[in-house]
Amino acid sequence: MALPHSQYQKQIDTVLTEEILTGIRQRAAGYDERNEFPYKDLEVLRDTGYLAALSAEKDGGLGWNFAAVVDAQKKLAAYAPATALAVNMHLIWSGVASIFQANGNPDLDFILQEAGAGETYAFGISEAGNDAVLFDSGTVAEEQVDGSVKFTGTKIFTTLSPVWTRLGIFGKSPDGAELIYAVLDRSEGNTESDGSSWDMLGMRATHSFVTHLNGVVVPADRIIRRIPTGPNQDLLTFGIFAAFLTFTSAVYAGIGDRAVEIAAQKLQSRISKVNGAALSQDPILRYKHGEAILRQMSQDQQITGLAEAITQLTDYGDEWSTRLVANKISAIRVAKAQVDYAFEASGGAGFHRTEEIARLYRDVMAGVYHPSDDESAHTTFASFGLGPLSE
């Protein structure tokens, strides 16, 4: 069962046509099996203008708003989760720029203009062992006399490694006082993508390799923010959290939607040997499918509501981080529950490795590793509900 059409469905259907999406779904299994990057998918999506969805039409984009892209990513993920997650890490930077624009800040307009011109952005933020996420960094960012900054460090899970032309990065000043954010042009050199160990359980086609920043120098005009190290409420920090967590939630919600669709197809096609009726008529299985629909509808409402709140600049104040994190944790939990249910509805055939639901089962596990993790999320929730820990 598909969810009811959103208010953006017509414009989404015009770009992500059934023909395009069917082709993307048909290629997904092969990309996963061969551990291959989905070059064809990105070529097709670029030709439709989708990679510039948030850029203005005058800049070569589609002129969509944030909430429309969240809906579109959910739809794309139902056809090919790894492709949707790969595209996510490009769209995140456009999402951040759109949040800046909505707040009357033009500092990141160049990102939307470059996306419209065909540049491919990637997310070079994650670092091994950095549980402070955006509030600290192990990458060294050294100011140069001309205002440029030299970055030396290692980023992990750099999705789109084979194709990015722009990489949003950050590092910490040698004195530890500030975090410096920049947009790196790949043509500057002194970066190295290491995919030697990329043989993951799921989301294989994303090719999220390790990236080494070997003293790469970013010009002064590509330094986008300097923020004091530690927790902060800077617009860039909010924009990254909002775009990353919400777009990521949409991808996993899309996996859950597809799992429910597969479950319905299996129950309607499987016939009971006991009474000759389709398993879709079994009262127990109907109850379980009803539970899946309840989860699906509730999750859709949560994601849609939060995406609209971001688009409309709803003033949630100190509640924003809690709401964003709760949405992400809920999306992962629901997606895993939907996939588990679809396995049950599929019977023994679903256990074959070549079945789509088996691939979704592997893909959904990647959600555990996207920030915020369950432990830090519950720290956020407890602090929101009970106040900070006493010193």
Side-chain angles (χ1 to χ4, degrees):
M1 175 183 175
L3 289 176
H5 283 193
S6 77
Q7 59 182 304
Y8 308 109
Q9 199 63 51
K10 187 174 181 179
Q11 63 188 125
I12 293 171
D13 289 346
T14 300
V15 175
L16 299 180
T17 65
E18 192 60 34
E19 179 183 3
I20 286 173
L21 291 172
T22 298
I24 287 174
R25 176 175 286 165
Q26 289 172 344
R27 290 188 290 271
Y31 289 138
D32 175 78
E33 179 67 24
R34 298 187 299 270
N35 195 19
E36 182 180 322
F37 187 77
Y39 289 101
K40 179 64 175 178
D41 291 357
L42 261 69
E43 176 187 341
V44 170
L45 292 171
R46 189 182 303 282
D47 288 345
T48 68
Y50 186 65
L51 298 187
L54 284 160
S55 301
E57 292 183 25
K58 66 179 179 63
D59 293 325
L62 300 178
W64 290 3
N65 66 21
F66 188 95
V69 174
V70 170
D71 275 0
Q73 279 295 91
K74 187 153 68 76
K75 181 172 185 175
L76 178 59
Y79 284 80
T83 293
L85 188 62
V87 170
N88 236 31
M89 300 308 168
H90 164 77
L91 290 175
I92 281 170
W93 285 112
S94 290
V96 174
S98 74
I99 290 170
F100 267 58
Q101 273 193 349
N103 281 273
N105 188 320
D107 288 355
L108 302 185
D109 283 2
F110 74 91
I111 292 177
L112 295 168
Q113 293 161 3
E114 289 189 350
E119 301 294 347
T120 302
Y121 273 75
F123 198 67
I125 300 296
S126 299
E127 299 169 343
N130 182 13
D131 57 354
V133 193
L134 294 181
F135 298 149
D136 202 350
S137 175
T139 296
V140 178
E142 300 176 89
E143 193 94 30
Q144 308 297 293
V145 293
D146 61 354
S148 62
V149 177
K150 182 168 71 172
F151 291 86
T152 304
T154 299
K155 305 295 183 178
I156 61 172
F157 292 123
T158 311
T159 302
L160 297 170
S161 283
V163 298
W164 65 261
T165 60
R166 301 287 189 268
L167 186 65
I169 59 175
F170 84 139
K172 186 168 62 175
S173 59
D175 63 4
E178 65 178 2
L179 300 171
I180 302 176
Y181 287 81
V183 172
L184 165 66
D185 185 331
R186 195 168 196 157
S187 65
E188 295 286 344
N190 291 330
T191 65
E192 178 187 358
S193 290
D194 180 4
S196 60
S197 61
W198 186 255
D199 188 12
M200 301 304 188
L201 178 69
M203 294 293 189
R204 288 158 59 83
T206 63
H207 280 206
S208 305
F209 300 163
V210 169
T211 299
H212 300 288
L213 306 177
N214 300 323
V216 62
V217 176
V218 180
D221 62 355
R222 305 293 278 190
I223 305 303
I224 59 176
R225 215 67 163 181
R226 288 176 169 83
I227 303 172
T229 301
N232 64 82
Q233 296 185 0
D234 190 89
L235 180 59
L236 182 62
T237 303
F238 170 77
I240 292 175
F241 272 129
F244 183 93
L245 291 171
T246 310
F247 286 163
T248 299
S249 297
V251 168
Y252 288 93
I255 294 176
D257 287 351
R258 178 56 177 164
V260 174
E261 189 175 44
I262 291 172
Q265 292 170 354
K266 296 296 185 180
L267 292 181
Q268 289 163 355
S269 64
R270 295 175 63 203
I271 305 299
S272 170
K273 292 293 185 181
V274 175
N275 57 25
L279 293 187
S280 60
Q281 303 304 303
D282 182 277
I284 296 176
L285 291 173
R286 289 181 69 84
Y287 180 89
K288 291 184 176 183
H289 199 80
E291 278 291 307
I293 297 298
L294 173 61
R295 291 190 295 265
Q296 185 185 37
M297 292 290 184
S298 299
Q299 184 64 57
D300 180 70
Q301 196 67 30
Q302 181 176 2
I303 291 176
T304 299
L306 195 63
E308 287 291 349
I310 294 169
T311 302
Q312 298 170 10
L313 300 181
T314 300
D315 185 9
Y316 282 135
D318 292 342
E319 293 183 17
W320 261 117
S321 62
T322 305
R323 289 175 179 269
L324 291 167
V325 172
N327 185 50
K328 183 266 179 181
I329 295 296
S330 177
I332 305 302
R333 287 185 176 184
V334 168
K336 291 174 72 174
Q338 305 295 52
V339 171
D340 285 347
Y341 163 65
F343 258 116
E344 183 179 356
S346 297
F351 201 57
H352 283 273
R353 193 173 63 84
T354 55
E355 285 286 308
E356 183 181 358
I357 192 59
R359 175 163 45 83
L360 297 186
Y361 183 83
R362 292 185 288 104
D363 284 345
V364 80
M365 291 305 297
V368 174
Y369 301 100
H370 298 297
S372 298
D373 62 28
D374 198 70
E375 292 80 5
S376 65
H378 279 77
T379 297
T380 298
F381 303 150
S383 295
F384 176 76
L386 299 172
L389 284 169
S390 300
E391 294 185 3

